[in-house]
Amino acid sequence: MTSQGADPSPPIPVAVAFSGGGFRASLAGLGVVRFLAQSGLLRDLRYVSSVSGGSWAGALLALNWAELEERGFTLDAVDDLMVRPFVTRVTTTSLQGRILRNLWRTLGPKTRTDLLADAFNEWFGREDGTLGNLPDGCRFMFNSTNLRDGNRFVFEKERVGVALEDHAVEVGGPPEHIQAPRIRVADALGASAAMPGGLSAQRLVRPYRSEFKMGRRPQLVDGAVYDNLGTEPFRDFRNHFPLIISLDAGAVLRYEKKLKTDLIGVLKRSNSVMMSQATRLRRRWMVERFRRWEDWELREPDQYAAFGADPEAAAAAFEAWDVDRVGPRPPFPPPEAARGVSFGLDSSTQAGLASSVGPQRYDVSTGPPMVPPWSRFDPEAFVQSVADMPMSVKKLDLTLCRGVIYRSWWLSRAFLTTYHADVVAEVGGWTEWYRGS
């Protein structure tokens, strides 16, 4: 039997953002999903936003959602349907080799990004694996970047196109989008993970390109170009407040002892610095929103309790009050506040995590060990090996894959039980999914 937590009461919707970072991000996303299943929160997942490598985890979750629901969103179901199939594939097959062997197909209408989408569909796809067949219970958003206007281009069940909330006026009028239920989830993944340089810009799946005005047909690349965290859709939830889990599995910018000073070396390093800084700013903004929520919980415990007792009624009362602002303000979170956690694979937790709103403190000496039982590394070396896992699409090392999954599971447990113990049910220790020797 696997450990399965009790339902939170009342249930709180959960939102997850899977960042870019190649297969490292995919594996880290699986670790978060394992924690959600173990804690009982997976059944409350309502929003999944993903970019680049994180979209592999998002697509696996989307395509298996109905069966996961049938099996009660258990940890066993996640391992059977998602973790073992993915790890088995990436540790026995080279995605790079598969694409190279099929490059001849790009002499026709296909692109290298189409080859990536075809590989996913062959490995994990389903006959009904289209956007139109995605579940209604959870909103899956696969984010790419439109090179034409520089904005986020999103693939969802209901529509495909420029995100309604992203600079609609700045791009020259109302955002264009199409109803595209027959587009494969694999093609949404391909557009989201079309890394510039290695893969080509995605030309929206035929025949849907013709539905955009001439000269405005999208040219799509990796969603990480616009937002490597995938948190942009979470800017405004319009008076309801899910528990946000923001996973940053992107590359860690390390000190360069031997910096290449040729033109290409300087350009590559400069691009890495710009990407790192943009991601840091987004994380800083998100963490500030979480701190506003924590401050409100600490300073106004009665309001916090009243809001938590019935968030929907509180939201309705606040909307009515907000029209004329007469009388006392109903219990409602302050502007820009959000509940959630944000962490990266290299997040420092060795000294413990302290929460200002309660007695919870994550003590690494009493919880599950930072280093998994099968690892020979010390904690510092283990964290660095996981955070620095190469962004390769060649055949991966099994031990390293297991380490990334463990690390993201461990971080999910550490951060959520520290800062949101009132939401997360009692969670047991690590349950092994690997059946090898």
Side-chain angles (χ1 to χ4, degrees), residues 224-294:
V225 173
Y226 183 84
D227 168 21
N228 194 45
L229 290 181
T231 55
E232 187 70 13
F234 300 164
R235 291 188 308 172
D236 182 11
F237 276 109
R238 302 193 183 281
N239 295 344
H240 66 287
F241 296 87
L243 177 67
I244 299 172
I245 302 172
S246 174
L247 165 67
D248 180 8
V252 178
L253 189 69
R254 302 291 187 190
Y255 181 80
E256 286 282 352
K257 293 182 179 179
K258 295 181 179 180
L259 184 64
K260 294 182 179 180
T261 56
D262 60 283
L263 178 60
I264 295 178
V266 170
L267 287 175
K268 288 177 64 177
R269 183 63 176 177
S270 299
N271 182 70
S272 297
V273 172
M274 287 189 292
M275 175 69 78
S276 175
Q277 181 64 3
T279 300
R280 289 177 185 176
L281 290 173
R282 283 187 178 274
R283 277 188 70 178
R284 195 176 303 162
W285 164 75
M286 184 63 75
V287 169
E288 180 59 34
R289 295 185 68 191
F290 297 155
R291 285 176 176 161
R292 286 175 181 260
W293 182 280
E294 193 176 48

Side-chain angles (χ1 to χ4, degrees), residues 216-230:
R216 294 181 65 85
R217 294 176 183 173
Q219 294 289 321
L220 306 177
V221 295
D222 200 321
V225 173
Y226 183 84
D227 168 21
N228 194 45
L229 290 181

Side-chain angles (χ1 to χ4, degrees), residues 39-50:
S39 64
L41 290 173
L42 186 57
R43 63 174 61 90
D44 298 320
L45 186 61
R46 296 295 176 265
Y47 307 91
V48 177
S49 173
S50 62

Side-chain angles (χ1 to χ4, degrees), residues 19-319:
S19 78
F23 280 158
R24 179 180 59 238
S26 313
L27 293 162
L30 295 179
V32 172
V33 175
R34 289 195 92 237
F35 173 81
L36 292 177
Q38 189 177 8
S39 64
L41 290 173
L42 186 57
R43 63 174 61 90
D44 298 320
L45 186 61
R46 296 295 176 265
Y47 307 91
V48 177
S49 173
S50 62
V51 298
S52 197
S55 286
W56 286 78
L60 283 168
L61 185 57
L63 291 175
N64 289 289
W65 185 265
E67 192 167 349
L68 288 169
E69 185 174 26
E70 289 178 5
R71 295 180 56 175
F73 294 112
T74 62
L75 186 56
D76 283 337
V78 169
D79 288 343
D80 291 343
L81 298 171
M82 297 179 61
V83 179
R84 276 189 288 271
F86 182 80
V87 176
T88 299
R89 177 62 69 175
V90 299
T91 56
T92 58
T93 308
S94 168
L95 176 61
Q96 175 178 293
R98 188 190 188 282
I99 292 176
L100 290 175
R101 288 192 301 272
N102 287 275
L103 274 179
W104 63 272
R105 298 181 184 276
T106 61
L107 298 175
K110 285 185 177 291
T111 67
R112 295 188 301 277
T113 299
D114 293 326
L115 299 183
L116 170 67
D118 290 343
F120 176 88
N121 203 57
E122 178 185 316
W123 293 349
F124 309 113
R126 296 170 176 263
E127 290 185 6
D128 60 349
T130 61
L131 293 176
N133 286 325
L134 289 181
D136 293 320
C138 184
R139 181 181 173 189
F140 291 92
M141 294 164 277
F142 301 95
N143 302 291
S144 61
T145 304
N146 188 356
L147 289 180
R148 290 196 181 277
D149 56 31
N151 284 290
R152 181 167 66 96
F153 191 98
V154 64
F155 291 78
E156 298 187 55
K157 176 184 176 68
E158 298 294 335
R159 65 185 185 86
V160 169
V162 179
L164 293 175
E165 62 271 30
D166 289 0
H167 314 299
V169 176
E170 296 177 18
V171 299
E176 296 177 87
H177 63 275
I178 57 177
Q179 306 296 323
R182 298 192 307 279
I183 289 182
R184 299 182 305 176
V185 171
D187 291 312
L189 163 73
S192 179
M195 184 176 65
L199 296 171
S200 48
Q202 177 70 292
R203 303 187 298 264
L204 191 64
V205 182
R206 294 177 174 83
Y208 301 108
R209 286 185 297 165
S210 61
E211 298 190 27
F212 288 82
K213 296 176 183 177
M214 185 64 69
R216 294 181 65 85
R217 294 176 183 173
Q219 294 289 321
L220 306 177
V221 295
D222 200 321
V225 173
Y226 183 84
D227 168 21
N228 194 45
L229 290 181
T231 55
E232 187 70 13
F234 300 164
R235 291 188 308 172
D236 182 11
F237 276 109
R238 302 193 183 281
N239 295 344
H240 66 287
F241 296 87
L243 177 67
I244 299 172
I245 302 172
S246 174
L247 165 67
D248 180 8
V252 178
L253 189 69
R254 302 291 187 190
Y255 181 80
E256 286 282 352
K257 293 182 179 179
K258 295 181 179 180
L259 184 64
K260 294 182 179 180
T261 56
D262 60 283
L263 178 60
I264 295 178
V266 170
L267 287 175
K268 288 177 64 177
R269 183 63 176 177
S270 299
N271 182 70
S272 297
V273 172
M274 287 189 292
M275 175 69 78
S276 175
Q277 181 64 3
T279 300
R280 289 177 185 176
L281 290 173
R282 283 187 178 274
R283 277 188 70 178
R284 195 176 303 162
W285 164 75
M286 184 63 75
V287 169
E288 180 59 34
R289 295 185 68 191
F290 297 155
R291 285 176 176 161
R292 286 175 181 260
W293 182 280
E294 193 176 48
D295 288 344
W296 174 59
E297 186 179 351
L298 177 66
R299 299 176 187 278
E300 302 287 347
D302 293 338
Q303 281 208 6
Y304 174 80
F307 173 82
D310 193 343
E312 291 188 6
F318 181 82
E319 286 183 356

